[in-house]
Structures are given as structure tokens and as C-alpha cells.
């Protein structure tokens, strides 16, 4: 029973989350004393496909049907399930991105497989079962989930698993004619990519602000700091509810859950719902005028001070640091 | 349109999460339960779509025990026409999707709306599994939806942007924030909800695919190191050399 990883591409490119899934699959295969293969859908240049060898993928099946260039869950699930059955995969791994979230449930039903969505660590083997650690209660807790079926599907939370380099020779098999137009149940009319901005779900560094900024007209200070750092911008729920910032910047229990390497919270008190969405961050810096703000309880570094005083100074210090490094 | 909305019953967003002493179960003592916030958006959107269409019905379905009934009554008060509770403790996304699929398969719903995930187990797997079981299209994390005849225009979040799609009815969609604002029940709605049908159906049962063996709370933080406003350069240095994140 080998391990198959679905490596998602965006316009022919693999993002970090895709390599994380590949690396995770290779480590899991090693634990299970088997091999890991990858499946890639649509048009991807061969050099890009071969880059998976750097993380230990020995075989890639490229389903090259041009119809698969735009992601559609129904057709993608058919193609991945066919490859999985063909190689006798015991575990299918994918990223818990929006693409993975659409694909994994369908795939699990097709393969009659148990699904662990949002794994944060490598599983433990327990007889025929896999024990997978995932977050529950919107990051307020963890659960060890036993996957009890013969075939299993695991989607992994981006930025929770460290890439392991392990260069191997890679074999590429190209296939065609796996899907037909009838498999595509939804038609993509338009794709609006966010440009000139780091997508929050992919960001390793995030600068976030709350009501302490007093109004949308002051957000240039947050954006300047984010630009200096190369970070994405985020905000608290009240800020998006008041339409100071777009909804897609709202992090928290009912917004986006993120786990960047660095989260800088400016003028956010730290309500339990907000903390749930960001507590997975590796390092948290809180800046708040109130020394009793709940954010300081989960922060690694804190400055008690006014955002309007601290932000320009911090921006200056970061700019100086970036120039020197 | 005949719309089905799937509802989860979840701990209130302000809940401080604790587990039993043996870490085998969630400690529900004193916890206030609410309709999952994303499901509340799905319900409101279903009502709005029928208001635009000039008619139709909205059924809410829940897999769970009797303690969820106050929240099903709330869904009726918000405006759903009838509620169905499938009588089983929900423990696994596959189980919940299977029960709903069995209920929905011969009912000819035009549209099935869900929240994008429940805020307790966060799997987000029920909408996609349900669609696969019913052999329907599914669009996840939608931020807008309009319907013209048998065709629907939806927008969904994608990694790094947004996508506009066209999909034919019937289909399943999972709702993201931004699709609408939740509707609060008014006094008339609360009065009317008392006489609306709330049907309890037996569960089909079946083997579970997954089982939680143990829960854990996140590790406590070591504590916050406070710096003065004048020490921002030191903060940057610490982020670089100590925390190694920049």
C-alpha cells in the first residue's frame, strides 16, 4: 500500500504548500516502509514536475488533459481517484488549501476512505489505523483522530509541516484522456487573482491591526510596516464588520485561521475568538496600550504603548534591519 | 425553490474549551450551544434567494440529539419552513454526510446550502461528501450566489484570489463569510416557529470511518517578554536572532 500525494498547481506552478504535502507523503511512506508517488493535474512544465524529486518523490503521474488546467472538484476527484486505485495507494495526502478542501471529501467518498482534514503532524501508526493529530474547536484544541478504513485520506494544514530535502531520481509518467468535458460540473467564468499583495493564507509574516488604529484612514501605517517586512496584512473582526478592511483580511474563529511564522498584533485586545484564529502562529508580537490586554497572555514579545507612536518606530527599525541584512 | 440547509449545533464562539480529565471527551458542562455561524449564513442566504425568486421552501436538517432542538426552533424562527432532526450523536463527517444524503436523495431539492465548516470540528468535509454521495456538483467557500432559472452564478474564495463560476441546479454549496449578514429572529418569527413542523427521523447508522482517541489543549506559552517603546530596534534584533522569524 503506497502513499500518493496530490500536488496542486496554480497556473502550472507549485506553491510551498504543495511541496510540504509532497515532503509529508515521503516521510509518511518511510514510516510505512513503502514508497511515495505524486499525481499532478493539467499542464505543468516537466522541470517543475521534476522539482518534486528534491523532496524524495520517486514517481509522478501527470494527468495532462488540458481540461484539468482549471480546477474543478468533481473532475479532479475522478482523475486522482483513478490514479490512486491504479497504483494501489493506501494513503492519499493533499494540502488543506481551498483546493484541497474541495477535493478531499469527494476523494474520500470515492475511495471509501476515512478523511483527516487539517493534519498538523505526521501520523502515528497503530496497527492498520493511522492516528492523525489535527486542530479542533478552531485552534482551541487538538484531537488525535484514528482513521479506521483500509484506504485513508489526509489533508495537511499549510505551514505546519517542515520541508525535508531528500533528492532522489524521479520517474515521470504522462497520461491523457482520463477525464472528459462531461466530468466538469461547474464552469469557471473568471479568476480574479489578488495582485501586488501577499495572500494571507500563504503568508509567513503577518501584520494585523484592530480598533486601536481608530479608523481606515490610518491603515497606511499598517501597510507600510507590512511592505517593509514583506508581510501580509490582516485585521480583527470588528474592523472588517465596520468595513474598515475587506472581509478576507479578518482572522479569527469565524474568519481565516492562520499559522504564520510571525504575527504582529497592533491595537487588538485579543478576544478569545480572535486568538483562536492566530494562536497557531509560531511567534506573536502584541502591541497594545492596555498592559492587561488578553493578547499579552499568548504573545512572545509585547510592547505596552500607543500604536501611533510604536508603528513608525518599528517601521523605521525594520527598514534599517532589512537594509543591513 | 426547494432549498435544504444543513445545520450544526456548536459551542458558542466565546467558549473556553476544556476536556474531560482523561482527555477522551469534550467537556460540555455549562457550554452554551449556538447554530454554527456559517450555517446561519447559509440559512439566511436560502431565505433571501427564495425572496428574490418569489417563493419556495427552506428545510433545515440536523444530525444530532434532542438537545439541539432549541436551535432548530431558532432556525424556524429565522424563517425556515420546516426542520428535520436525524437522531444520532454526530461524531464523524462521513456519518453526518451519509445520514443527510439518505434523507435528501429522493426529495428533489434544487439547492443544498451548508456552512463552509463547523467551528467545533472544523473539518469542512460534509458539503463535499454529501455532493459526492448524491452525485451533485459542489462549490465550496462561496462568497456570493445568484440564480437565474436553472443556472446559478457563484463566486468562491480560491488560494490567492477569487473565482466566478456558473453551475446548473441542483448543486451543493458551502457558504463563506461575506455571503450575507445573519438574520435575527423577530417576535412574529418566534411565535410562528412554535407551530412549524420539526420532524425527528431515525438514523440509518453504519460503521464510523474515524474516531477521536484523545484531545489535548495547546501548550501554554512560556510568557511574554515585555519591551519598552524605545526598544523597537531590540525587538527587531530578537525576532531575527532569538525567534529566527525574520
Amino acid at each position: 500500500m503506497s502513499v500518493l500525494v496530490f500536488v496542486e498547481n496554480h497556473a502550472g506552478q507549485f506553491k510551498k504548500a504543495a511541496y510540504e504535502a509532497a515532503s509529508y507523503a515521503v516521510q509518511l511512506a518511510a514510516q510505512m516502509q513503502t514508497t511515495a508517488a505524486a499525481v499532478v493535474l493539467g499542464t505543468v512544465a516537466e522541470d517543475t514536475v521534476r522539482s518534486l524529486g528534491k523532496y524524495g518523490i520517486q514517481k509522478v503521474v501527470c494527468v495532462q488533459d488540458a481540461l484539468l488546467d482549471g480546477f474543478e472538484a468533481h473532475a479532479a476527484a475522478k482523475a486522482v481517484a483513478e490514479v490512486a486505485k491504479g497504483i494501489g495507494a493506501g494513503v492519499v495526502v493533499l494540502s488543506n488549501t481551498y483546493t484541497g478542501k474541495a477535493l478531499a471529501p469527494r476523494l474520500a467518498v470515492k475511495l471509501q476512505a476515512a478523511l483527516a482534514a487539517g493534519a498538523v503532524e505526521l501520523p502515528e501508526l497503530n496497527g492498520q489505523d493511522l492516528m492523525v493529530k489535527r486542530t479542533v474547536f478552531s485552534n482551541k484544541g487538538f484531537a488525535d483522530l484514528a482513521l479506521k478504513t483500509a484506504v485513508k485520506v489526509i489533508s495537511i494544514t499549510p505551514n505546519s509541516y517542515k520541508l525535508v530535502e531528500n533528492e532522489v531520481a524521479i520517474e515521470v509518467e504522462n497520461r491523457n484522456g482520463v477525464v472528459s468535458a462531461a466530468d466538469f460540473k461547474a464552469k469557471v467564468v473568471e479568476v480574479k487573482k489578488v495582485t501586488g499583495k501577499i495572500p494571507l493564507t500563504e503568508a509567513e509574516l503577518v501584520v494585523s491591526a484592530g480598533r486601536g488604529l481608530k479608523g481606515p484612514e490610518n491603515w497606511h501605517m499598517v501597510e507600510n510596516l507590512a511592505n517593509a517586512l514583506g508581510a501580509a496584512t490582516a485585521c480583527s473582526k470588528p474592523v472588517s464588520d465596520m468595513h474598515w478592511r475587506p472581509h478576507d483580511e479578518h482572522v479569527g474563529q469565524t474568519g481565516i485561521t492562520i499559522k504564520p511564522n510571525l504575527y504582529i498584533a497592533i491595537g487588538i485586545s485579543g478576544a478569545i475568538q480572535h486568538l483562536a484564529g492566530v494562536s497557531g502562529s509560531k511567534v506573536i508580537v502584541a502591541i497594545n496600550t492596555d498592559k492587561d490586554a488578553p493578547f499579552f497572555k499568548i504573545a512572545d514579545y509585547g510592547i505596552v504603548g500607543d500604536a501611533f507612536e510604536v508603528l513608525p518606530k518599528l517601521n523605521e527599525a525594520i527598514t534599517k534591519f532589512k537594509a543591513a541584512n | 425553490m426547494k432549498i435544504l440547509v444543513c445545520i450544526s449545533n456548536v459551542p458558542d464562539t466565546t467558549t473556553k474549551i476544556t476536556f474531560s480529565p482523561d482527555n477522551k471527551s469534550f467537556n460540555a458542562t455549562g457550554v452554551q450551544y449556538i447554530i454554527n455561524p456559517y450555517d446561519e449564513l447559509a440559512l439566511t442566504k436560502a431565505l433571501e434567494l427564495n425572496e428574490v425568486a418569489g417563493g419556495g421552501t427552506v428545510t433545515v436538517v440536523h444530525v444530532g440529539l434532542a438537545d439541539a432542538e432549541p436551535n432548530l426552533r431558532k432556525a424556524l424562527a429565522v424563517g425556515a419552513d420546516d426542520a428535520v432532526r436525524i437522531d444520532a450523536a454526530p461524531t464523524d463527517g462521513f456519518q453526518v454526510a451519509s445520514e443527510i444524503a439518505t434523507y435528501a436523495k429522493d426529495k428533489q431539492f434544487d439547492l443544498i446550502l451548508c456552512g463552509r465548516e463547523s467551528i467545533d470540528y472544523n473539518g469542512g468535509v460534509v458539503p463535499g461528501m454529501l455532493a459526492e454521495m448524491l452525485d451533485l456538483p459542489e462549490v465550496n467557500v462561496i462568497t456570493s450566489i445568484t440564480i437565474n432559472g436553472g443556472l446559478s452564478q457563484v463566486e468562491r474564495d480560491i488560494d490567492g484570489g477569487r473565482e466566478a463560476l456558473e453551475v446548473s441546479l441542483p448543486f451543493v454549496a458551502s457558504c463563506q463569510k461575506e455571503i450575507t449578514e445573519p438574520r435575527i429572529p423577530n417576535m412574529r418569527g418566534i411565535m410562528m416557529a412554535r407551530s412549524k413542523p420539526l420532524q425527528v427521523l431515525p438514523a440509518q447508522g453504519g460503521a464510523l470511518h474515524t474516531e477521536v482517541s484523545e484531545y489535548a489543549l495547546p501548550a501554554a506559552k512560556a510568557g511574554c517578554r515585555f519591551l519598552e517603546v524605545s526598544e523597537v530596534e531590540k525587538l527587531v534584533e530578537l525576532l531575527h536572532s532569538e525567534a529566527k522569524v525574520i
Side-chain angles (χ1 to χ4, degrees), chain B residues 189-231:
Chain B
I190 293 166
M191 297 301 285
M192 282 171 68
R194 291 181 188 168
S195 56
K196 286 180 178 173
L198 193 167
Q199 195 185 358
V200 181
L201 299 176
Q204 301 293 307
L208 295 176
H209 279 188
T210 65
E211 192 177 29
V212 174
S213 65
E214 197 171 325
Y215 291 98
L217 292 172
K221 283 277 189 172
C224 183
R225 175 167 177 179
F226 284 96
L227 296 149
E228 298 299 321
V229 175
S230 58
E231 292 180 303

Side-chain angles (χ1 to χ4, degrees), chain A:
Chain A
M1 295 291 253
S2 61
V3 176
L4 178 72
V5 55
F6 165 68
V7 182
E8 67 181 75
N9 76 83
H10 292 263
Q13 301 298 316
F14 298 147
K15 294 186 177 178
K16 184 166 160 260
Y19 290 112
E20 285 170 357
S23 189
Y24 184 97
V26 169
Q27 300 305 313
L28 174 59
Q31 272 187 350
M32 295 170 63
Q33 298 177 320
T34 181
T35 52
V39 54
V40 172
L41 304 183
T43 312
V44 180
E46 184 159 342
D47 280 356
T48 306
V49 171
R50 288 191 176 277
S51 68
L52 296 172
K54 191 173 167 192
Y55 300 100
I57 295 288
Q58 292 170 325
K59 181 177 176 164
V60 186
V61 179
C62 294
V63 182
Q64 292 184 312
D65 300 41
L67 283 166
L68 290 166
D69 285 352
F71 175 81
E72 199 274 339
H74 189 269
K78 182 185 174 187
V80 175
E82 200 163 305
V83 173
K85 285 176 184 166
I87 67 161
V91 185
V92 181
V93 173
L94 64 171
S95 302
N96 197 30
T97 54
Y98 287 128
T99 298
K101 285 173 203 270
L103 178 57
R106 281 198 176 270
L107 198 56
V109 172
K110 276 192 195 298
L111 299 173
Q112 298 178 299
L115 167 59
V120 293
E121 283 177 9
L122 274 174
E124 279 175 32
L125 310 184
N126 181 15
Q128 296 303 305
D129 293 353
L130 287 181
M131 308 296 291
V132 182
K133 189 173 188 180
R134 59 183 298 269
T135 51
V136 289
F137 298 103
S138 306
N139 268 346
K140 292 177 188 170
F142 295 100
D144 284 328
L145 193 68
L147 306 188
K148 305 171 81 70
T149 49
V151 179
K152 295 136 180 116
V153 177
I154 302 174
S155 70
I156 64 168
T157 300
N159 213 25
S160 60
Y161 179 74
K162 207 169 156 49
L163 288 169
V164 181
E165 288 194 19
N166 172 23
E167 181 109 38
V168 292
I170 187 166
E171 177 200 342
V172 179
E173 179 194 328
N174 293 321
R175 281 193 208 169
N176 254 301
V178 174
V179 293
S180 67
D183 295 318
F184 290 76
K185 304 292 185 188
K187 186 175 133 207
V188 177
V189 183
E190 190 189 357
V191 176
K192 300 169 202 167
K193 286 274 171 194
V194 175
T195 51
K197 214 171 115 171
I198 298 167
L200 191 51
T201 49
E202 294 165 26
E204 294 189 357
L205 309 173
V206 175
V207 178
S208 185
R211 273 179 296 191
L213 263 282
K214 302 216 180 341
E217 67 279 6
N218 298 320
W219 238 263
H220 65 275
M221 294 166 62
V222 180
E223 283 168 337
N224 288 346
L225 178 60
N227 286 339
L229 262 174
T233 52
C235 70
S236 64
K237 184 169 186 288
V239 165
S240 77
D241 284 350
M242 290 184 291
H243 304 291
W244 291 3
R245 299 297 292 175
H247 280 292
D248 59 13
E249 282 198 5
H250 161 207
V251 291
Q253 191 161 7
T254 54
I256 298 171
T257 298
I258 53 171
K259 44 188 312 177
N261 294 341
L262 174 63
Y263 185 80
I264 302 181
I266 304 152
I268 307 175
S269 62
I272 188 167
Q273 298 98 322
H274 184 82
L275 299 186
V278 303
S279 59
S281 308
K282 291 193 178 75
V283 174
I284 293 174
V285 175
I287 298 165
N288 205 293
T289 47
D290 176 8
K291 69 173 173 35
D292 296 321
F295 228 127
F296 289 124
K297 290 197 174 63
I298 70 154
D300 300 277
Y301 302 100
I303 293 180
V304 179
D306 184 28
F308 292 89
E309 190 188 347
V310 179
L311 264 179
K313 285 188 176 158
L314 185 56
N315 194 359
E316 197 182 312
I318 291 280
T319 308
K320 205 166 127 189
F321 168 81
K322 286 281 177 186
N325 284 272

Side-chain angles (χ1 to χ4, degrees), chain B residues 30-52:
Chain B
V31 171
Q32 180 80 28
Y33 278 78
I34 58 169
I35 299 175
N36 181 42
Y38 296 111
D39 302 346
E40 215 170 8
L41 299 180
L43 171 60
T44 306
K45 196 68 214 178
L47 297 168
E48 289 170 3
L49 286 170
N50 274 347
E51 283 158 13
V52 171

Side-chain angles (χ1 to χ4, degrees), chain B:
Chain B
M1 278 196 304
K2 188 174 167 182
I3 306 178
L4 180 67
V5 177
C6 307
I7 300 273
S8 284
N9 195 41
V10 299
D12 181 83
T13 57
T14 56
T15 306
K16 188 172 183 326
I17 300 298
T18 57
F19 301 113
S20 62
D22 64 357
N23 285 323
K24 298 286 182 202
S25 59
F26 170 61
N27 182 5
T29 311
V31 171
Q32 180 80 28
Y33 278 78
I34 58 169
I35 299 175
N36 181 42
Y38 296 111
D39 302 346
E40 215 170 8
L41 299 180
L43 171 60
T44 306
K45 196 68 214 178
L47 297 168
E48 289 170 3
L49 286 170
N50 274 347
E51 283 158 13
V52 171
T57 58
V58 174
T59 300
V60 293
V61 62
H62 170 70
V63 178
L65 303 176
D67 56 4
E69 288 190 5
N71 279 332
L72 291 176
R73 286 283 168 210
K74 187 189 167 195
L76 294 171
V78 170
D81 298 283
D82 66 316
V84 174
R85 179 172 69 80
I86 301 170
D87 192 27
T91 57
D92 168 81
F94 178 81
Q95 170 218 9
V96 171
S98 303
E99 296 292 350
I100 297 174
T102 304
Y103 164 74
K105 68 172 187 278
D106 55 2
K107 306 281 191 303
Q108 272 104 37
F109 288 105
D110 298 305
L111 182 65
I112 301 179
L113 291 181
C114 308
R116 75 153 217 229
E117 66 183 46
S118 67
I119 61 164
D120 51 1
Y121 289 93
N122 308 98
V125 304
V126 170
M129 286 186 169
L130 181 59
E132 185 66 29
M133 290 167 181
L134 296 172
D135 195 24
L136 292 176
E138 189 239 352
V139 188
N140 70 339
V141 286
I142 66 167
T143 54
S144 76
I145 177 169
T146 56
I147 290 169
N148 299 299
L151 196 64
S152 174
Q153 279 77 35
V154 297
E155 287 199 327
R156 67 179 282 257
D157 275 346
I158 55 171
D159 301 293
R162 192 158 281 178
E163 192 172 72
L165 302 109
E166 271 182 6
V167 54
S168 297
L169 300 178
F171 67 99
V172 180
S174 74
C175 296
Q176 167 72 308
K177 221 193 140 189
E178 202 180 323
I179 193 160
T180 188
E181 298 289 334
R183 200 173 279 191
I184 312 291
N186 57 29
M187 196 38 94
R188 186 165 164 270
I190 293 166
M191 297 301 285
M192 282 171 68
R194 291 181 188 168
S195 56
K196 286 180 178 173
L198 193 167
Q199 195 185 358
V200 181
L201 299 176
Q204 301 293 307
L208 295 176
H209 279 188
T210 65
E211 192 177 29
V212 174
S213 65
E214 197 171 325
Y215 291 98
L217 292 172
K221 283 277 189 172
C224 183
R225 175 167 177 179
F226 284 96
L227 296 149
E228 298 299 321
V229 175
S230 58
E231 292 180 303
V232 286
E233 288 198 14
K234 187 171 168 192
L235 172 65
V236 173
E237 177 53 30
L238 286 168
L239 291 175
H240 176 62
S241 57
E242 187 178 84
K244 297 187 170 39
V245 289
I246 59 170

